[in-house]
C-alpha cells in the first residue's frame, strides 16, 4: 500500500514570495497633463469665460500714491450714474482685519489688511469698488469718485523701513499677529532659534558662502488673473 509523503508546514507568504513589487503607473513617470492640450491650444475654460447673462461687472479704484491717508471720499456722483448698483469703500464696509497669506490656522502672518482702509500703502492699493451693468459704466463711475489724499512719506526699501526714523506703514491700532511683531519698527514678524554651535560649525566648515538675496513680489498662477464669480441668493 502506497503511503503519502509527510508534508512540511507552509511558510509565511512574505517569506516564500519572490515576486518583485509592482511598479507604479504615475509616480516616477512622465504622464500627460489632463488639461495640457486645452491649455496649450487656448481652449481651456476659465472663470471669466463663463459669465452668466446679467452679471454685474466689478472694478476697482486704485491708489496712485505709495503712501497716503484718505481724508475724504465722495461717491455720490458714481452712485447716481444709471447702471451702477453698488459703490464700496472704507466708509461703508465692515472693518475686519485679515491676512493676505494662506498658511494653516493659526495663521502666523499679521492680520493687518482690510477690504478697504482709510490709508493706502502702495501704488495700486484698493480705494473703492464699483459694481455696474457694463464695464464702460463701471469705468465711468470710477472716474466720478472724488478722493482727497494726504500724501505721506513713502518707504521703498526694506532696510530703510527698519531705520529708527522711518515712516510707520501700519499705524492702525486694530491689527494683530500670532507671532511677535512690531509695527512701530515696520517688523511684520520675527523668530529666533539656536541649533548647535553655529560659530564652531562655521569655523570647521570647508567652505562658507554668504550673501544677500532679493526677489520681487509675484503671483503664483500667472496663466489666469484673479477672477471671482459670485452671486446673491434672491431667497436670502
Amino acid at each position: 500500500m502506497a503511503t503519502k509523503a509527510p508534508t512540511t508546514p507552509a511558510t509565511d507568504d512574505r517569506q516564500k514570495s519572490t515576486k518583485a513589487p509592482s511598479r507604479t503607473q504615475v509616480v516616477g513617470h512622465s504622464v500627460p497633463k489632463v488639461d495640457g492640450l486645452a491649455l496649450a491650444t487656448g481652449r481651456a475654460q476659465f472663470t471669466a469665460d463663463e459669465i452668466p447673462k446679467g452679471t454685474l461687472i466689478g472694478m476697482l479704484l486704485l491708489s496712485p500714491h505709495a503712501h497716503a491717508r484718505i481724508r475724504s471720499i465722495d461717491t455720490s456722483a458714481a452712485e447716481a450714474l444709471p447702471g451702477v448698483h453698488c459703490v464700496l469703500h472704507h466708509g461703508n464696509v465692515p472693518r475686519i482685519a485679515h491676512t493676505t497669506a494662506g498658511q494653516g490656522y493659526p495663521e502666523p502672518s499679521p492680520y493687518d489688511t482690510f477690504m478697504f482702509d482709510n490709508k493706502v500703502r502702495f501704488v495700486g492699493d484698493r480705494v473703492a469698488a464699483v459694481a455696474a451693468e457694463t464695464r464702460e459704466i463701471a469705468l465711468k463711475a470710477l472716474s466720478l469718485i472724488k478722493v482727497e489724499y494726504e500724501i505721506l512719506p513713502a518707504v521703498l526699501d526694506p532696510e530703510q523701513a527698519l531705520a529708527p526714523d522711518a515712516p510707520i506703514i501700519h499705524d492702525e491700532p486694530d491689527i494683530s499677529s500670532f507671532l511677535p511683531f512690531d509695527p512701530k519698527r515696520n517688523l511684520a514678524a520675527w523668530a529666533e532659534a539656536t541649533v548647535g554651535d553655529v560659530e564652531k560649525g562655521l569655523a570647521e566648515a570647508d567652505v562658507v558662502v554668504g550673501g544677500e538675496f532679493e526677489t520681487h513680489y509675484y503671483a503664483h498662477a500667472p496663466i489666469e488673473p484673479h477672477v471671482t464669480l459670485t452671486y446673491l441668493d434672491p431667497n436670502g
Side-chain angles (χ1 to χ4, degrees):
M1 185 168 111
T3 59
K4 186 176 180 181
T7 59
T8 58
T11 58
D12 190 297
D13 288 342
R14 291 172 296 180
Q15 295 177 346
K16 71 178 182 180
S17 175
T18 58
K19 183 179 180 181
S22 61
R23 296 180 60 84
T24 60
Q25 296 181 353
V26 176
V27 177
H29 297 271
S30 178
V31 297
K33 182 175 172 59
V34 173
D35 55 350
L37 182 60
L39 290 171
T41 56
R43 297 199 303 269
Q45 293 294 300
F46 295 103
T47 304
D49 296 322
E50 297 291 340
I51 303 298
K53 185 178 180 181
T55 300
L56 298 179
I57 302 298
M59 302 195 74
L60 293 169
L61 179 65
L62 304 177
S63 169
H65 306 294
H67 196 199
R69 196 173 304 279
I70 299 175
R71 285 302 181 190
S72 66
I73 181 168
D74 183 356
T75 61
S76 57
E79 292 170 332
L81 186 67
V84 171
H85 289 245
C86 182
V87 180
L88 302 176
H89 54 89
H90 76 272
N92 61 5
V93 299
R95 184 175 174 83
I96 301 175
H98 63 274
T99 176
T100 58
Q103 287 77 243
Y105 183 84
E107 168 60 58
S109 303
Y111 284 66
D112 59 4
T113 305
F114 302 87
M115 182 182 296
F116 296 102
D117 204 350
N118 60 359
K119 188 181 184 184
V120 292
R121 297 173 177 83
F122 58 90
V123 174
D125 203 353
R126 299 183 299 272
V127 176
V130 169
E133 294 175 3
T134 66
R135 183 176 185 272
E136 292 71 23
I137 295 175
L139 286 171
K140 177 63 176 179
L142 292 180
S143 70
L144 296 176
I145 299 176
K146 298 179 180 178
V147 184
E148 179 186 354
Y149 295 98
E150 175 191 351
I151 309 300
L152 301 173
V155 181
L156 305 177
D157 180 89
E159 293 187 3
Q160 176 193 353
L162 295 173
D165 58 346
I168 299 175
I169 304 303
H170 285 281
D171 55 355
E172 62 272 38
D174 49 347
I175 61 175
S176 62
S177 178
F178 176 74
L179 292 177
F181 78 126
D182 190 351
K184 294 182 179 180
R185 297 172 56 206
N186 292 323
L187 278 175
W190 76 85
E192 298 178 1
T194 301
V195 180
D197 190 334
V198 177
E199 295 301 327
K200 182 175 183 294
L202 291 174
E204 295 177 351
D206 294 330
V207 178
V208 176
V209 178
E212 294 183 5
F213 307 92
E214 297 180 4
T215 182
H216 60 82
Y217 189 88
Y218 64 95
H220 61 279
I223 197 170
E224 180 185 18
H226 291 174
V227 178
T228 299
L229 178 63
T230 187
Y231 64 93
L232 293 176
D233 186 348
N235 299 320

